[in-house]
Amino acid sequence: MSLVIPIHANEPQGCSDSPVLVEKGQREVFCGLTGIIWLHRKIQDAFFLVVGSRTCAHLIQSAAGVMIFAEPRFGTAIIDERDLAGLADCNEELDRVVRQLLARRPDIKLLFLVGSCPSEVIKLDLSRAAQRLSSEYLHAVRVLNYSGSGIETTFTQGEDACLASMVPGLPQSTDTTPRLMVVGTLADVVEDQLRQLFSAMGISQLDFFPPRRSTAMPPIGASTRFLLAQPFLADTAKALQARGARHLGAPFPLGAEGTTAWLQAATHAFGISQERFEEATRAPRQRAEQALNRHRPLLQGKKIFFFPDSQLEIPLARFLSRELQMELSEVGTPYLHRQLMAQELELLPRTTKLSEGQDVERQLDRCIAAQPDMVVCGLGLANPLEARGFTTKWSIELVFTPIQGYEQAGDLAGLFSRPLTRRMKLAA
Ligand code: SF4
């Protein structure tokens, strides 16, 4: 079998060595607390206790919506004026809130104390608090901490910090048989599809991290090989490598081509034959390619501009340019992790304008001058851009929606074709 043939056949590929515009100005991004919205759904016996202000509480409450049917798995320990004025002992207050919570919710097996701007401003040491509370609840609840603070971060870093905080506690594996770990929060349906595919290829020693239950943490050791399912997990990758695991570099599993290359990185590492790989992937790959064929006529030749927001920008740009023939106007990313992006950069057109970091006013000027057909950006920029006649796509939607793997390739393309169709209908 072969990978999808590059669509821009005449255009030189690979922008690993291309210059990158580095911006260090004002940023328009959500903070890392946002990750709680998808993480709390994934790890079903975990609770995320934000140690923050009413603003932090409002952010996650409104971003997550009101959960009517479920016991919420996140909350905020509000730091109030007495705490800020130093009139109360914040550690005692926090211990009291945690005791109250755990007495009410015996189902919680893993508690994250999530740091915020206010907890950092008053220098509340949440790692010591986590150690203290972990010893108090020994064997019943594990207490970990990470920061979701909005200072100089972007919203997907919350997941990275959360996963990295779990790595030191993963059980040590002494097994010498290679075992695959897929790293990054995926919708359960995507996880089930990937498990089936790996099993059909002969890889059944497989774990997903984070797991669905905190009591089923995957083992880790020198025989662990891991694939990142999300591109924003640089700290987690480092922490896994520090525990002896080996990263399998690959493009990310977006689109038919991305998914094929991602799966192939595992089959190469596990010595799976090309025939077996082909047999296991042929049908879903063809379904993905057919699904993409339906969206290509609308998307091909359309110009797209990415503001730096989710850290998914580079893999999405590769997917849209190679599999749907969209033109890349500018691809902004909050951080450019060259090592994790090496295979993605190789697949971008050589002429791609890459930018790292943000200076929102200058970027808006470039966007307006480029007049793209579609803009991928954060929520804060979408409305003003729509008001100026641009078609936008919220980058956060691409993190919430299941988009990885063959079966989701058509849905992913649909996220870009639908806003264009809507605008055309409105204009008609
Ligand atoms: S952590 Fe900081 S940026 Fe995020 S909601 Fe709280 S105060 Fe705002």
Side-chain angles (χ1 to χ4, degrees):
M1 65 145 299
S2 60
L3 293 181
V4 172
I5 297 161
I7 286 158
H8 295 286
N10 297 323
E11 191 167 347
Q13 298 291 301
C15 64
S16 313
D17 307 322
S18 306
V20 176
L21 175 64
V22 178
E23 303 266 44
K24 291 201 162 83
Q26 197 198 328
R27 301 150 75 99
E28 287 284 335
V29 288
F30 276 162
C31 67
L33 296 187
T34 320
I36 293 171
I37 296 152
W38 61 91
L39 284 162
H40 87 271
R41 293 195 184 129
K42 187 73 209 174
I43 317 172
Q44 290 158 17
D45 53 1
F47 192 97
F48 294 80
L49 184 64
V50 176
V51 184
S53 63
R54 287 184 201 286
T55 310
C56 310
H58 287 147
L59 174 93
I60 53 167
Q61 189 70 37
S62 49
V66 179
M67 301 208 309
I68 298 168
F69 301 110
E71 269 278 19
R73 288 198 290 267
F74 59 84
T76 309
I78 307 271
I79 299 173
D80 59 24
E81 288 78 12
R82 288 183 67 244
D83 302 310
L84 290 169
L87 296 174
D89 182 330
C90 286
N91 285 305
E92 273 177 27
E93 293 279 309
L94 180 60
D95 290 5
R96 186 179 55 76
V97 169
V98 168
R99 280 185 204 119
Q100 252 178 14
L101 171 70
L102 295 179
R104 257 190 36 219
R105 296 286 301 275
D107 54 309
I108 297 171
K109 300 289 174 240
L110 174 61
L111 175 67
F112 290 101
L113 304 177
V114 188
S116 66
C117 307
S119 73
E120 286 179 9
V121 166
I122 62 168
K123 301 205 177 341
L124 188 55
D125 189 341
L126 291 184
S127 74
R128 280 186 52 197
Q131 279 169 19
R132 189 172 66 234
L133 289 159
S134 267
S135 346
E136 188 173 332
Y137 289 93
L138 205 63
H139 305 307
V141 185
R142 274 189 69 204
V143 185
L144 297 174
N145 74 289
Y146 72 89
S147 172
S149 151
I151 302 167
E152 292 295 306
T153 58
T154 194
F155 72 96
T156 44
Q157 280 176 277
E159 175 171 344
D160 193 18
C162 174
L163 300 197
S165 77
M166 284 191 271
V167 173
L170 295 181
Q172 182 65 42
S173 164
T174 46
D175 200 347
T176 50
T177 316
R179 202 173 168 87
L180 181 63
M181 188 190 277
V182 173
V183 181
T185 302
L186 293 169
D188 289 354
V189 59
V190 175
E191 219 177 87
D192 293 342
Q193 290 163 6
L194 292 174
R195 190 177 284 285
Q196 258 185 10
L197 269 175
F198 281 120
S199 159
M201 290 186 282
I203 303 176
S204 49
Q205 298 276 82
L206 171 68
D207 299 299
F208 288 87
F209 179 65
R212 294 182 197 187
R213 300 200 71 80
S214 70
T215 44
M217 288 289 175
I220 188 166
S223 56
T224 307
R225 310 282 176 265
F226 72 93
L227 272 175
L228 291 179
Q230 300 283 10
F232 42 73
L233 298 174
D235 288 348
T236 307
K238 262 191 233 145
L240 292 167
Q241 284 165 323
R243 295 275 322 256
R246 181 141 58 86
H247 175 224
L248 306 177
F252 290 87
L254 302 181
E257 179 188 41
T259 304
T260 300
W262 187 79
L263 292 170
Q264 266 184 331
T267 54
H268 289 153
F270 282 74
I272 309 294
S273 72
Q274 187 62 22
E275 292 69 36
R276 185 140 193 206
F277 175 77
E278 178 65 18
E279 203 179 304
T281 55
R282 187 184 301 114
R285 196 177 66 245
Q286 282 171 358
R287 278 199 296 277
E289 285 165 0
Q290 280 161 10
L292 294 178
N293 288 343
R294 287 196 285 279
H295 295 275
R296 194 172 298 113
L298 181 67
L299 292 172
Q300 64 188 357
K302 297 282 191 309
K303 231 192 308 178
I304 188 159
F305 189 105
F306 286 88
F307 278 83
D309 199 42
S310 66
Q311 303 191 66
L312 281 167
E313 292 84 4
I314 291 175
L316 285 170
R318 179 265 303 157
F319 161 69
L320 293 169
S321 99
R322 288 173 65 92
E323 298 196 57
L324 293 160
Q325 298 182 334
M326 289 189 84
E327 273 181 37
L328 305 176
S329 181
E330 177 171 328
V331 182
T333 178
Y335 306 101
L336 181 53
H337 299 294
R338 282 198 176 271
Q339 220 181 339
L340 301 187
M341 286 294 160
Q343 289 80 6
E344 291 285 353
L345 292 172
E346 278 301 310
L347 296 172
L348 282 178
R350 193 171 290 286
T351 51
T352 308
K353 280 190 207 145
L354 285 172
S355 68
E356 180 185 14
Q358 190 160 37
D359 188 329
V360 71
E361 294 298 334
R362 289 170 46 163
Q363 210 147 23
L364 277 168
D365 288 346
R366 293 201 297 278
C367 176
I368 291 162
Q371 289 292 303
D373 299 289
M374 182 175 286
V375 183
V376 181
C377 60
L379 288 168
L381 292 178
N383 278 350
L385 285 165
E386 286 276 344
R388 295 191 72 136
F390 290 98
T391 303
T392 62
K393 166 67 26 205
W394 296 347
S395 48
I396 201 163
E397 205 184 329
L398 296 150
V399 181
F400 289 161
T401 314
I403 55 171
Q404 296 81 5
Y406 290 127
E407 308 299 346
Q408 282 62 241
D411 295 345
L412 176 56
L415 289 174
F416 294 91
S417 61
R418 261 196 309 279
L420 286 173
T421 309
R422 196 180 320 122
R423 184 161 290 266
M424 278 177 346
K425 282 188 181 155
L426 285 173

